[in-house]
Amino acid sequence: MLENATIKATSHLGDPRVTYNLEDGMVPETNMPVRFYLSPNREDGSASILVSEPLDYETTQFFSLRVRAQNVAAVPLAAFTRVYINITDVNDNVPFFTSSIYEASVTEGAQIGTLVLQVSAHDKDLGLNGEITYSLLSDSSGDHNFFQIDPKNGIIYTEAVFDREARSSYLLEVQSEDGQESARPGKNKQPNT
């Protein structure tokens, strides 16, 4: 989030006013397409750098803007400066599973704690924003009671010894949740899931 980034140049030759403009860039990191613009502050002769549209850390992590300051004169003089802007990550990405359906088999009579399979989700956000925790969701079938999941690595284990003749299939729903409150609208300070 850019907060109150201003630039100011002074001229001691004749008219003290200075005009500012952002030089055209050639790549996203140099403001092409335009993500930033200048707004003059007439009271103190400075200019504010403002964001023209939402920024996405996952697309561009930093910007290097070239600003031209020019005095008001018949033959104007110009000076240039660079403004470096680092974008910080917010928790705006949802963790997505690498597959929407997983299937696995367990031998009947296998002991409790037998590995069933590992689910995997990915989140583009950094640090805790992208740190995923897994859980089994409960439903009226009670299938979740026969299994457990490692919350950190997504490995599902048995919590019962199964008899194929008594029951041959189970359906589990796994939730992935990231590690910080969401920056997405309407999430009410809850993580993305």
Side-chain angles (χ1 to χ4, degrees):
M1 181 176 171
L2 190 64
E3 296 181 24
N4 198 21
T6 60
I7 54 173
K8 185 172 183 177
T10 57
S11 174
H12 302 291
L13 301 174
D15 192 327
R17 291 176 297 168
V18 175
T19 61
Y20 303 91
N21 69 293
L22 283 175
E23 295 285 296
D24 292 338
M26 300 295 286
V27 294
E29 292 81 7
T30 59
N31 207 32
M32 179 59 67
V34 173
R35 299 281 191 267
F36 300 92
Y37 68 97
L38 289 176
S39 177
N41 301 313
R42 305 220 182 273
E43 314 80 50
D44 67 357
S46 66
S48 295
I49 299 174
L50 302 174
V51 178
S52 62
E53 62 181 68
L55 304 173
D56 183 13
Y57 174 85
E58 286 73 31
T59 302
T60 310
Q61 290 86 36
F62 72 92
F63 292 88
S64 175
L65 309 179
R66 188 169 190 242
V67 181
R68 176 186 174 106
Q70 182 173 298
N71 68 346
V72 177
V75 179
L77 299 173
F80 298 87
T81 190
R82 281 233 177 252
V83 177
Y84 297 97
I85 300 169
N86 290 313
I87 309 303
T88 56
D89 189 31
V90 297
N91 192 14
D92 60 343
N93 287 289
V94 173
F96 283 100
F97 284 98
T98 55
S99 177
S100 58
I101 297 174
Y102 293 85
E103 291 187 34
S105 298
V106 175
T107 305
E108 70 176 336
Q111 60 186 336
I112 292 173
T114 298
L115 187 148
V116 178
L117 64 86
Q118 182 174 19
V119 297
S120 179
H122 296 286
D123 191 314
K124 293 180 183 177
D125 292 315
L126 293 179
L128 290 175
N129 290 339
E131 188 174 293
I132 298 171
T133 303
Y134 302 95
S135 61
L136 294 178
L137 298 180
S138 58
D139 62 22
S140 58
S141 73
D143 286 1
H144 63 282
N145 293 317
F146 298 98
F147 302 88
Q148 65 174 330
I149 190 167
D150 185 303
K152 292 297 177 199
N153 62 28
I155 296 175
I156 298 174
Y157 299 94
T158 60
E159 276 285 292
V161 176
F162 299 100
D163 178 359
R164 188 182 190 290
E165 285 70 41
R167 187 164 177 200
S168 63
S169 67
Y170 296 82
L171 179 63
L172 304 174
E173 188 172 9
V174 181
Q175 175 177 279
S176 61
E177 179 177 277
D178 61 27
Q180 293 289 325
E181 82 181 40
S182 177
R184 297 168 73 90
K187 290 297 289 182
N188 300 320
K189 299 187 176 186
Q190 296 300 309
N192 295 315
T193 59

